[in-house]
Amino acid sequence: MTASIPAKASAPHFQSFSEPSDPSQVAPRVAALRAALARQGLGGFVVPRADEHQGEYVPAHMARLAWLSGFTGSAGNVVVLADKAALIVDGRYTIQSAEQTDTAVITPVRMEETPLDKWVAANLPAGGRLGYDPWLHTVDGVAKLEKAVAAAGGELVAVTPNPIDALWSDRPAPPSAPVKAHPAAYAGESAASKLARIQEALGKDKVDALVLSDPHALAWTFNIRGGDVEHTPLPLGYAIVPREGRPTVFLSPEKITNEAGDAIGALGEIAPPQALEEQLKALGAGKAKVRLDAATAAAALATLIRKAGGTPEAGADPVALMKARKNEAELDGARAAHLRDGAAMARFLSWLAREAPKGGLTEIDAVAALEAERRGTGLLKDVSFTTIAGAGPNAALPHYRVTDSSNRAIEPGIFLVDSGGQYEDGTTDITRTMAVGEPSPEMRDRYTRVLKGHVAISRAVFVKGTSGAQLDALARLPLWQAGLDFDHGTGHGVGSYLSVHEGPQRLSKLGTTPLEPGMILSNEPGYYKEGAYGIRIENLIVVEERSIPGGDRTIYGFETITWCPYERALIEPALLDAGERAWIDAYHGEVWARIGPLVEGETKTWLEQACRPL
């Protein structure tokens, strides 16, 4: 049946709109930290937005940066010295950082202008002892800090336990979500086969063991999933995979379900998290050469191995590239998830088209309604990230998160929704920008230029070995031709019932990993006019091999797997060439053919109109 969503939808289950921080708490907490540092003979301390795994989402008990500074963004560092403090964030969070912290106590600093190491070098007093938690920084991160502290004439000091933990009186308990087996029908490859491939890679690299510090790698390798962080089904833990023999998985035994325990136990050992340090020391004592993931492994891991006599080697985790290349079962699951998700999007957008012009809807109403549609599939496990739903000027903030205080009415103009779902067979991520009322000629021009860039990526063909950085300009050219651009990457990798943001592949000026068949990426160019409106159009795409008659090179292209119409009211056909028009018409024909049979009533009528040829 066609869903009937009330104009005022109830609050969704998977995300909150409450105010995430209280700036009034910043001053007393910073003062308490300074007093604690002074007692330890330290002149400062670095507080990153990180847990032991450097994850995009951190569990509540690891949110030390948010507790201290009030800032809840996904990246940043606070440095607290005796007489000053800085919150160093990238350009996405310039406005948010100033709003969430107490700027009389902590000064927001743009990372692009003054990165963490440069701020430390310029501000740490000579002779100053700067503390850091070695479990929250990578080997490379510590090396940069060491150089900065040396330049200032100071000393970098590893500090455990973290001094914030003793001050955080109402600190949440660690997560205890169950660890479950990921069905073979969705995984598409046995854990035994994956381990064999990993051990083969270790042999080629001549290393004795690999530490899996990235929970995504742990989940993929052993075909398990968990629930220790928001929006990504991760079990937080480690594993040690030797070049030969049985691996050891470090997870709290009480969290592991019988089915998952049996599956892991058939391949290796299960040990409690506190046993990790002893096993690393044992590897070191055996003079082992141990690969650590440069992106996620804590500096503390390297120290444990080195002090015991071993050789830690920070480098690429071989699992990252294996995980990025999806097998047929994973791709089939992704395609099925996107059909289900596409029907939910059609029901939502049909409802929005009917209700928004009447007035009375807010951003929160839209988020709740969209989640209700996804939950109505009966298969939604979670949203894949906090929904970005921006009306008017809020749409110009690429990483906007609606709260009770920021919630805007959806009025004539532009409304942007970037959202996704976590289903056991796949992870989705889609952005659509909609017009409420009659859009301006400028809005139509900008939307069509973004659409042209989106279509250019969709139609791209490229030789084997091409990286995302080499394709990124295709999405920007129509905007560049009008003196415009956008400040984020064109696309990121996507996991299989794992993180919606997955590397190493990406479409970006920084995307150096060659694209290979089976990799899933987003295709999401945009345009943002500060204080006015924002536009983004996003589908997920899969790298696939193409056969070109007469060609003598291996050529790849993209399969689109997201099915949802573009906003006709914002398309200016005169800006499209014949090839672009044909591609859009063909895409809309596929949307109608695939999603039309999955919806009924008012939604089907809306979809048929939305998918008619330009």
Side-chain angles (χ1 to χ4, degrees):
M1 289 180 62
T2 302
S4 177
I5 308 173
K8 293 287 186 179
S10 59
H13 176 67
F14 288 121
Q15 66 188 77
S16 165
F17 305 114
S18 61
E19 299 308 311
S21 60
D22 180 2
S24 70
Q25 295 295 313
V26 173
R29 290 174 178 176
V30 169
L33 177 59
R34 283 179 171 142
L37 297 177
R39 289 192 293 272
Q40 296 187 52
L42 297 171
F45 192 72
V46 182
V47 184
R49 194 276 187 187
D51 63 4
E52 291 96 331
H53 308 283
Q54 301 293 319
E56 178 179 5
Y57 294 104
V58 299
H61 80 298
M62 290 290 177
R64 298 182 180 95
L65 180 70
W67 178 86
L68 181 67
S69 70
F71 173 66
T72 61
S74 64
N77 290 273
V78 163
V79 189
V80 175
L81 302 180
D83 61 344
K84 65 182 70 173
L87 169 57
I88 301 168
V89 297
D90 64 56
R92 294 174 297 169
Y93 295 117
T94 303
I95 297 172
Q96 180 178 335
S97 60
E99 290 176 344
Q100 290 188 321
T101 197
D102 181 345
T103 56
V105 179
I106 299 178
T107 302
V109 174
R110 279 180 60 98
M111 183 183 71
E112 293 85 352
E113 297 167 3
T114 311
L116 172 64
D117 55 337
K118 289 187 177 179
W119 192 94
V120 168
N123 290 278
L124 183 69
R129 302 178 75 237
L130 182 68
Y132 74 101
D133 183 338
W135 287 97
L136 304 181
H137 299 262
T138 64
V139 172
D140 287 349
V142 171
K144 283 186 177 181
L145 277 177
E146 285 176 337
K147 287 183 180 179
V149 170
E155 178 187 0
L156 187 65
V157 182
V159 180
T160 56
N162 192 302
I164 286 179
D165 298 350
L167 306 174
W168 193 352
S169 59
D170 58 347
R171 187 183 180 199
S176 58
V179 177
K180 301 178 180 179
H182 187 51
Y186 301 140
E189 182 182 6
S190 70
S193 170
K194 293 176 179 180
L195 283 165
R197 287 203 283 145
I198 294 168
Q199 290 179 319
E200 181 182 1
L202 298 182
K204 288 180 180 178
D205 289 348
K206 296 181 170 57
V207 296
D208 299 304
L210 166 69
V211 176
L212 295 181
S213 53
D214 182 354
H216 302 84
L218 174 68
W220 179 86
T221 299
F222 292 94
N223 288 339
I224 55 176
R225 298 294 187 268
D228 286 342
V229 299
E230 289 183 304
H231 310 321
T232 307
L234 291 179
L236 295 182
Y238 295 88
I240 295 176
V241 181
R243 186 169 60 188
E244 297 177 352
R246 288 164 64 85
T248 302
V249 175
F250 300 90
L251 287 168
S252 299
E254 64 272 13
K255 293 170 54 174
I256 302 174
T257 61
N258 290 338
E259 185 181 9
D262 290 345
I264 297 170
L267 301 168
E269 314 304 326
I270 299 173
Q274 54 268 31
L276 174 66
E277 293 191 24
E278 288 305 315
Q279 291 217 20
L280 290 174
K281 291 176 183 177
L283 283 171
K287 308 300 181 184
K289 183 178 182 181
V290 183
R291 171 67 58 84
L292 299 176
D293 178 18
T296 66
L301 301 175
T303 300
L304 287 165
I305 296 164
R306 187 183 301 110
K307 284 188 173 180
T311 304
E313 177 193 87
D317 180 349
V319 173
L321 201 54
M322 296 179 189
K323 176 165 53 69
R325 296 183 293 232
K326 308 297 183 288
N327 58 48
E328 278 307 311
E330 290 172 317
L331 292 176
D332 286 345
R335 295 179 186 113
H338 278 82
L339 289 176
R340 182 185 315 124
D341 205 67
M345 280 295 299
R347 288 189 286 267
F348 164 73
L349 292 175
S350 168
W351 167 81
L352 187 72
R354 293 192 305 272
E355 298 296 332
K358 300 176 185 176
L361 283 186
T362 68
E363 294 167 339
I364 287 178
D365 294 328
V367 173
L370 178 51
E371 185 175 310
E373 286 294 359
R374 285 196 168 103
R375 202 166 331 118
T377 65
L379 295 174
L380 184 70
K381 298 295 186 181
D382 198 345
V383 293
S384 54
F385 57 97
T386 300
T387 299
I388 299 168
N394 287 344
L397 304 172
H399 294 268
Y400 172 66
R401 172 190 179 274
V402 58
T403 66
D404 290 322
S405 64
S406 72
N407 187 29
R408 287 183 66 91
I410 299 174
E411 298 174 330
I414 272 180
F415 180 61
L416 182 153
V417 180
D418 184 352
S419 67
Q422 288 283 15
Y423 305 95
E424 205 168 11
D425 52 356
T427 300
T428 70
D429 185 2
I430 176 174
T431 307
R432 287 297 183 265
T433 303
M434 310 304 292
V436 179
E438 183 65 27
S440 70
E442 179 186 281
M443 290 174 179
R444 288 169 61 88
D445 175 273
R446 304 307 191 248
Y447 180 93
T448 307
R449 290 181 185 279
V450 172
L451 180 58
K452 284 167 71 71
H454 172 88
V455 171
I457 293 293
S458 304
R459 298 171 66 194
V461 291
F462 46 95
V463 69
K464 178 181 179 180
T466 300
S467 70
Q470 294 170 281
L471 299 179
D472 181 74
L474 296 177
R476 300 177 189 273
L477 184 59
L479 289 163
W480 287 349
Q481 289 169 335
L484 310 168
D485 200 3
F486 54 95
D487 293 329
H488 55 74
T490 298
H492 52 81
V494 179
S496 179
Y497 190 43
L498 279 172
S499 177
V500 76
H501 298 130
E502 177 181 272
Q505 76 277 22
R506 54 179 165 168
L507 296 172
S508 160
K509 297 171 185 177
L510 304 176
T512 57
T513 298
L515 303 181
E516 299 185 30
M519 289 179 171
I520 301 178
L521 300 107
S522 67
N523 169 14
E524 50 179 311
Y527 171 74
Y528 310 93
K529 185 172 183 178
E530 186 175 351
Y533 63 87
I535 294 163
R536 188 162 61 252
I537 304 170
E538 177 186 21
N539 286 345
L540 296 193
I541 52 180
V542 181
V543 181
E544 62 178 4
E545 190 164 349
R546 293 284 175 83
S547 176
I548 297 182
D552 60 6
R553 298 290 183 95
T554 300
I555 298 294
Y556 298 147
F558 294 119
E559 171 197 359
T560 295
I561 59 174
T562 301
W563 303 107
C564 182
Y566 304 119
E567 174 58 284
R568 300 179 65 87
L570 284 166
I571 296 175
E572 179 50 69
L575 287 176
L576 300 171
D577 63 33
E580 292 165 338
R581 289 178 66 127
W583 189 92
I584 293 167
D585 282 346
Y587 174 76
H588 280 156
E590 282 294 311
V591 172
W592 173 244
R594 294 168 185 264
I595 304 301
L598 305 179
V599 296
E600 298 176 356
E602 292 174 305
T603 297
K604 192 163 192 137
T605 300
W606 171 86
L607 185 66
E608 185 173 20
Q609 289 297 309
C611 291
R612 69 186 190 277
L614 293 175

